[in-house]
Amino acid sequence: MAHPSLLGFQDAASPVMEELLHFHDHALMIVFLISALVLYIIVAMVTTKLTNKFILDSQEIEIIWTLLPAIILILIALPSLRILYLMDEINDPHLTIKALAPHQWYWSYEYTDYEDLGFDSYMIPTEDLTPGQFRLLEADHRMVIPIESPIRILVSADDVLHSWAVPSLGVKMDAVPGRLNQTAFITSRPGVFYGQCSEICGANHSFMPIVVEAVPLEHFENWSSLMLEDA
């Protein structure tokens, strides 16, 4: 969960998000090295006579300036493509959930593996919050899932573009009217993870919170049984 003075990303709660954090650090180090090298050359050219014939007219330098960017792009592209394919891969999901944006501005969830398990999820107004709850992030019904289980999310909308995004899980998928998009994730630990609609979908764009609660399988079965009894 984000908190004041947080300088980095939220703690990863899925293997994909862990990979994204590692890739971010990897790319940031490359950017830092490039910036340091360029800054050193600029300072050296200003303070010393570095602009000699070797720098201005040298075939060796031209070869380095050509090969080095290509090598850097390869170092960034290869891990990036690997993570991209990991995010798109969906193998034998244990649970499929439809995350729908039927009308502005709330989410509806349907557990397709159960016949009558579905509900709408509205943001809790500020005046109704209890101590410990987060303003603009709490929902009256959380999307409950079992931990360490592949979860497939089918995302769509009825009115305008929306986006179902949970930063801690490394998930962000656009909800497009008339189109069914899908993504998948696995939660590696129990907890409550917050997200919001990440598409500017209208006046109440910031009031479409997403709350995912990851619990052990036994607790999920108890929760689903209670929800089906109340349906």
Side-chain angles (χ1 to χ4, degrees):
M1 179 63 194
H3 57 80
S5 74
L6 179 66
L7 298 179
F9 292 94
Q10 299 181 24
D11 292 337
S14 69
V16 169
M17 189 58 191
E18 292 177 2
E19 293 289 338
L20 290 173
L21 292 179
H22 293 158
F23 175 71
H24 168 268
D25 296 339
H26 167 75
L28 188 62
M29 183 56 64
I30 294 177
V31 172
F32 173 77
L33 293 175
I34 295 174
S35 303
L37 176 61
V38 173
L39 180 62
Y40 167 76
I41 294 176
I42 293 175
V43 172
M45 292 179 64
V46 172
T47 59
T48 65
K49 294 183 178 180
L50 188 62
T51 56
N52 53 29
K53 183 178 181 182
F54 177 76
I55 295 297
L56 296 178
D57 187 15
S58 173
Q59 187 173 359
E60 290 79 6
I61 290 295
E62 292 179 4
I63 294 175
I64 294 175
W65 279 176
T66 303
L67 292 180
L68 193 59
I71 295 173
I72 293 173
L73 288 176
I74 292 174
L75 292 176
I76 295 176
L78 290 181
S80 175
L81 291 174
R82 172 179 170 271
I83 297 175
L84 182 63
Y85 281 109
L86 285 176
M87 296 175 67
D88 287 340
E89 189 173 355
I90 301 176
N91 292 325
D92 190 23
H94 295 177
L95 186 65
T96 299
I97 304 174
K98 288 183 180 179
L100 307 175
H103 301 287
Q104 299 170 333
W105 284 270
Y106 65 94
W107 294 98
S108 294
Y109 298 103
E110 298 178 9
Y111 289 69
T112 60
D113 299 278
Y114 299 84
E115 185 175 354
D116 296 317
L117 182 50
F119 51 84
D120 296 331
S121 181
Y122 292 90
M123 185 192 74
I124 299 178
T126 303
E127 59 271 14
D128 295 335
L129 293 174
T130 59
Q133 291 185 324
F134 298 100
R135 189 178 72 91
L136 303 183
L137 289 177
E138 295 290 349
D140 56 356
H141 289 91
R142 295 175 173 177
M143 192 186 85
V144 181
I145 59 172
I147 62 173
E148 298 179 347
S149 297
I151 308 297
R152 175 171 56 188
I153 303 294
L154 304 177
V155 185
S156 187
D158 280 347
D159 43 19
V160 297
L161 291 174
H162 299 278
S163 185
W164 198 87
V166 183
S168 295
L169 301 177
V171 178
K172 184 179 185 295
M173 181 56 64
D174 288 341
V176 183
R179 179 170 181 174
L180 196 63
N181 294 329
Q182 68 174 355
T183 185
F185 62 88
I186 301 175
T187 52
S188 55
R189 58 183 173 88
V192 180
F193 312 109
Y194 296 89
Q196 289 178 302
C197 175
S198 296
E199 192 75 41
I200 301 179
C201 57
N204 292 332
H205 149 71
S206 59
F207 304 125
M208 292 183 67
I210 301 164
V211 186
V212 178
E213 184 175 358
V215 298
L217 180 59
E218 180 181 355
H219 293 175
F220 172 77
E221 292 176 344
N222 294 335
W223 172 84
S224 59
S225 298
L226 292 176
M227 292 292 291
L228 289 173
E229 290 177 0
D230 296 338

